[in-house]
Structure formats: structure tokens, C-alpha cells
Amino acid sequence: MTKTAAIIVAAGRGERAGGGTPKQWRIIAGRRVLDWTLDAFRAIPEINEIIIVHHSNDLAHVSNLTELCVLGGETRDASVRNGLDALVRSDTPPDRVLIHDAARPLVSRDLIMRVLKGLDDNDAAAPALPVVD
């Protein structure tokens, strides 16, 4: 059986968005952006494990989560590397890994499933949407 993990990168500071609070911790429709993102991935039975990569200043934000939480790095790619390193140290490392930005909460089930389908026959897959303007 193929094991699939998702790394949700939530270590960014979101400074370009302004407002002082990183995007993943802001409230939209009564819930944190990260919670909407997590629900999208939790709803996919093919995903066996979720890891959240967070900033060291955000321990209070992740303390109530049941997923494995690891500290991010100085850059986005260092944060992703920390998530991957946590998966490699697992007793049962995954065969496939999805990587998603926590501040993108509107990812659809269909998009996640299409990426998983793309991984059935390829070593890597990335979602792409047509430009419409």
C-alpha cells in the first residue's frame, strides 16, 4: 500500500500582507486560515500523515493540533527540508509527499486528488491553473 504524507508549511511571517499577524493565523469565516487548509487535507483518505512546519514564535498556535509539528527554517525551502527530514526519520517514511502552503486555504479536494493521480505515473507532479486575464 502506498503511504502519502502532506507537509503544510506554516512558518512564514506574511509581512507583505501587512497587519502584523501572519496569514496562516488570521481568522476567515470564524476559523484560522490554517484550520481551513488542514481540513482540506484531512478529508483525503489517501493522505496518511500530515506534518505542520511552523515558526518558533508560533508554538501557542500549534499546541492544540494532533498532527506532528516541526520547526521551520530561515527560508521556505529550509522549512520544507525540516518537514521532509521529519518524514525520513519516521519508522515508516512515505512513498509520496505533498507540500502545501498553509496560507492557501481554498485548495479543493479535486486539485489534491489530481496531484495524487499525477503521482501514480510520475516521480513528481505540480498543480497548475490556466491564466485567465
Side-chain angles (χ1 to χ4, degrees), residues 9-15 21-25 53-55 58 72-73 76 79 101-102:
V9 184
R13 300 292 80 201
E15 293 171 357
T21 301
K23 292 179 285 187
Q24 62 272 23
W25 309 123
V53 182
H54 64 90
H55 193 276
D58 295 339
R76 182 184 310 260
S79 291
D101 186 335

mmCIF file of all heavy atoms in Angstrom, residues 9-15 21-25 53-55 58 72-73 76 79 101-102:
data_model
loop_
_atom_site.group_PDB
_atom_site.id
_atom_site.type_symbol
_atom_site.label_atom_id
_atom_site.label_comp_id
_atom_site.label_asym_id
_atom_site.label_seq_id
_atom_site.Cartn_x
_atom_site.Cartn_y
_atom_site.Cartn_z
ATOM 1 N N VAL A 9 3.256 23.928 5.169
ATOM 2 C CA VAL A 9 4.262 24.899 5.595
ATOM 3 C C VAL A 9 3.551 26.132 6.138
ATOM 4 O O VAL A 9 2.843 26.833 5.411
ATOM 5 C CB VAL A 9 5.205 25.258 4.431
ATOM 6 C CG1 VAL A 9 6.305 26.194 4.908
ATOM 7 C CG2 VAL A 9 5.809 23.994 3.826
ATOM 8 N N ALA A 10 3.739 26.371 7.453
ATOM 9 C CA ALA A 10 3.067 27.475 8.141
ATOM 10 C C ALA A 10 4.071 28.327 8.916
ATOM 11 O O ALA A 10 3.755 28.890 9.958
ATOM 12 C CB ALA A 10 2.005 26.920 9.087
ATOM 13 N N ALA A 11 5.292 28.424 8.411
ATOM 14 C CA ALA A 11 6.346 29.129 9.138
ATOM 15 C C ALA A 11 6.551 30.562 8.662
ATOM 16 O O ALA A 11 7.326 31.298 9.266
ATOM 17 C CB ALA A 11 7.659 28.353 9.016
ATOM 18 N N GLY A 12 5.845 30.961 7.611
ATOM 19 C CA GLY A 12 6.048 32.298 7.067
ATOM 20 C C GLY A 12 5.538 33.386 7.985
ATOM 21 O O GLY A 12 4.713 33.157 8.868
ATOM 22 N N ARG A 13 6.022 34.569 7.757
ATOM 23 C CA ARG A 13 5.633 35.725 8.558
ATOM 24 C C ARG A 13 4.586 36.580 7.860
ATOM 25 O O ARG A 13 3.967 37.417 8.475
ATOM 26 C CB ARG A 13 6.848 36.596 8.901
ATOM 27 C CG ARG A 13 7.919 35.879 9.706
ATOM 28 C CD ARG A 13 7.509 35.520 11.130
ATOM 29 N NE ARG A 13 6.686 34.312 11.181
ATOM 30 C CZ ARG A 13 5.877 33.978 12.169
ATOM 31 N NH1 ARG A 13 5.767 34.715 13.221
ATOM 32 N NH2 ARG A 13 5.158 32.882 12.127
ATOM 33 N N GLY A 14 4.379 36.402 6.554
ATOM 34 C CA GLY A 14 3.327 37.118 5.836
ATOM 35 C C GLY A 14 3.459 38.628 5.881
ATOM 36 O O GLY A 14 2.456 39.334 5.903
ATOM 37 N N GLU A 15 4.669 39.132 5.890
ATOM 38 C CA GLU A 15 4.888 40.575 6.040
ATOM 39 C C GLU A 15 4.307 41.398 4.896
ATOM 40 O O GLU A 15 3.841 42.512 5.115
ATOM 41 C CB GLU A 15 6.383 40.851 6.201
ATOM 42 C CG GLU A 15 6.917 40.295 7.508
ATOM 43 C CD GLU A 15 8.427 40.354 7.616
ATOM 44 O OE1 GLU A 15 9.084 40.780 6.643
ATOM 45 O OE2 GLU A 15 8.945 39.952 8.668
ATOM 46 N N THR A 21 -0.127 40.074 11.883
ATOM 47 C CA THR A 21 -0.361 38.652 12.130
ATOM 48 C C THR A 21 -0.110 37.864 10.846
ATOM 49 O O THR A 21 -0.668 38.196 9.806
ATOM 50 C CB THR A 21 -1.812 38.412 12.591
ATOM 51 O OG1 THR A 21 -2.034 39.162 13.782
ATOM 52 C CG2 THR A 21 -2.069 36.942 12.861
ATOM 53 N N PRO A 22 0.726 36.824 10.907
ATOM 54 C CA PRO A 22 0.941 36.007 9.711
ATOM 55 C C PRO A 22 -0.379 35.464 9.162
ATOM 56 O O PRO A 22 -1.306 35.149 9.921
ATOM 57 C CB PRO A 22 1.843 34.876 10.210
ATOM 58 C CG PRO A 22 2.580 35.485 11.362
ATOM 59 C CD PRO A 22 1.568 36.385 12.028
ATOM 60 N N LYS A 23 -0.449 35.339 7.840
ATOM 61 C CA LYS A 23 -1.700 34.950 7.168
ATOM 62 C C LYS A 23 -2.297 33.657 7.700
ATOM 63 O O LYS A 23 -3.511 33.549 7.846
ATOM 64 C CB LYS A 23 -1.463 34.829 5.659
ATOM 65 C CG LYS A 23 -1.174 36.130 4.973
ATOM 66 C CD LYS A 23 -0.919 35.931 3.497
ATOM 67 C CE LYS A 23 0.460 35.344 3.288
ATOM 68 N NZ LYS A 23 0.847 35.266 1.878
ATOM 69 N N GLN A 24 -1.465 32.667 7.995
ATOM 70 C CA GLN A 24 -1.986 31.364 8.407
ATOM 71 C C GLN A 24 -2.728 31.413 9.744
ATOM 72 O O GLN A 24 -3.518 30.535 10.037
ATOM 73 C CB GLN A 24 -0.874 30.309 8.444
ATOM 74 C CG GLN A 24 0.235 30.585 9.431
ATOM 75 C CD GLN A 24 1.352 31.426 8.868
ATOM 76 O OE1 GLN A 24 1.181 32.172 7.909
ATOM 77 N NE2 GLN A 24 2.539 31.295 9.454
ATOM 78 N N TRP A 25 -2.516 32.471 10.537
ATOM 79 C CA TRP A 25 -3.155 32.577 11.850
ATOM 80 C C TRP A 25 -4.322 33.573 11.848
ATOM 81 O O TRP A 25 -4.994 33.733 12.860
ATOM 82 C CB TRP A 25 -2.135 32.979 12.918
ATOM 83 C CG TRP A 25 -0.926 32.112 12.879
ATOM 84 C CD1 TRP A 25 0.360 32.522 12.722
ATOM 85 C CD2 TRP A 25 -0.864 30.683 12.979
ATOM 86 N NE1 TRP A 25 1.206 31.443 12.716
ATOM 87 C CE2 TRP A 25 0.483 30.302 12.866
ATOM 88 C CE3 TRP A 25 -1.829 29.693 13.142
ATOM 89 C CZ2 TRP A 25 0.895 28.984 12.931
ATOM 90 C CZ3 TRP A 25 -1.419 28.366 13.194
ATOM 91 C CH2 TRP A 25 -0.068 28.016 13.086
ATOM 92 N N VAL A 53 4.743 22.532 9.548
ATOM 93 C CA VAL A 53 6.014 23.193 9.794
ATOM 94 C C VAL A 53 5.690 24.631 10.195
ATOM 95 O O VAL A 53 5.038 25.351 9.448
ATOM 96 C CB VAL A 53 6.914 23.165 8.538
ATOM 97 C CG1 VAL A 53 8.249 23.814 8.837
ATOM 98 C CG2 VAL A 53 7.106 21.737 8.044
ATOM 99 N N HIS A 54 6.127 25.034 11.392
ATOM 100 C CA HIS A 54 5.747 26.337 11.931
ATOM 101 C C HIS A 54 6.963 27.131 12.393
ATOM 102 O O HIS A 54 8.054 26.585 12.572
ATOM 103 C CB HIS A 54 4.766 26.156 13.097
ATOM 104 C CG HIS A 54 5.378 25.432 14.253
ATOM 105 N ND1 HIS A 54 6.031 26.074 15.274
ATOM 106 C CD2 HIS A 54 5.467 24.104 14.525
ATOM 107 C CE1 HIS A 54 6.486 25.187 16.136
ATOM 108 N NE2 HIS A 54 6.160 23.987 15.698
ATOM 109 N N HIS A 55 6.758 28.394 12.605
ATOM 110 C CA HIS A 55 7.792 29.302 13.100
ATOM 111 C C HIS A 55 7.956 29.101 14.607
ATOM 112 O O HIS A 55 6.988 28.774 15.304
ATOM 113 C CB HIS A 55 7.368 30.741 12.794
ATOM 114 C CG HIS A 55 8.460 31.735 12.973
ATOM 115 N ND1 HIS A 55 8.761 32.278 14.202
ATOM 116 C CD2 HIS A 55 9.320 32.287 12.087
ATOM 117 C CE1 HIS A 55 9.753 33.136 14.066
ATOM 118 N NE2 HIS A 55 10.121 33.161 12.789
ATOM 119 N N ASP A 58 5.463 30.606 17.018
ATOM 120 C CA ASP A 58 4.059 30.208 16.877
ATOM 121 C C ASP A 58 3.683 28.941 17.645
ATOM 122 O O ASP A 58 2.687 28.295 17.328
ATOM 123 C CB ASP A 58 3.720 30.029 15.395
ATOM 124 C CG ASP A 58 3.820 31.329 14.619
ATOM 125 O OD1 ASP A 58 3.748 32.400 15.242
ATOM 126 O OD2 ASP A 58 3.948 31.263 13.387
ATOM 127 N N GLY A 72 10.190 25.390 11.550
ATOM 128 C CA GLY A 72 10.613 25.803 10.228
ATOM 129 C C GLY A 72 12.041 26.324 10.258
ATOM 130 O O GLY A 72 12.679 26.394 11.308
ATOM 131 N N GLY A 73 12.503 26.713 9.078
ATOM 132 C CA GLY A 73 13.852 27.243 8.942
ATOM 133 C C GLY A 73 13.828 28.719 8.597
ATOM 134 O O GLY A 73 12.783 29.374 8.629
ATOM 135 N N ARG A 76 11.781 29.450 3.134
ATOM 136 C CA ARG A 76 10.723 28.486 2.813
ATOM 137 C C ARG A 76 11.317 27.114 2.483
ATOM 138 O O ARG A 76 10.833 26.089 2.965
ATOM 139 C CB ARG A 76 9.890 28.981 1.630
ATOM 140 C CG ARG A 76 8.742 28.049 1.267
ATOM 141 C CD ARG A 76 8.006 28.527 0.036
ATOM 142 N NE ARG A 76 7.631 29.921 0.128
ATOM 143 C CZ ARG A 76 6.422 30.382 0.460
ATOM 144 N NH1 ARG A 76 5.466 29.526 0.718
ATOM 145 N NH2 ARG A 76 6.178 31.654 0.520
ATOM 146 N N SER A 79 12.375 25.348 5.543
ATOM 147 C CA SER A 79 11.215 24.838 6.275
ATOM 148 C C SER A 79 10.705 23.539 5.659
ATOM 149 O O SER A 79 10.390 22.578 6.370
ATOM 150 C CB SER A 79 10.097 25.887 6.298
ATOM 151 O OG SER A 79 10.466 26.991 7.096
ATOM 152 N N ASP A 101 1.274 25.267 1.036
ATOM 153 C CA ASP A 101 1.406 26.473 1.844
ATOM 154 C C ASP A 101 0.149 26.637 2.701
ATOM 155 O O ASP A 101 -0.968 26.675 2.178
ATOM 156 C CB ASP A 101 1.583 27.670 0.912
ATOM 157 C CG ASP A 101 1.871 28.963 1.636
ATOM 158 O OD1 ASP A 101 1.498 29.107 2.819
ATOM 159 O OD2 ASP A 101 2.464 29.857 1.019
ATOM 160 N N ALA A 102 0.323 26.757 4.009
ATOM 161 C CA ALA A 102 -0.814 26.883 4.932
ATOM 162 C C ALA A 102 -1.693 28.084 4.609
ATOM 163 O O ALA A 102 -2.884 28.069 4.894
ATOM 164 C CB ALA A 102 -0.299 27.008 6.367
#
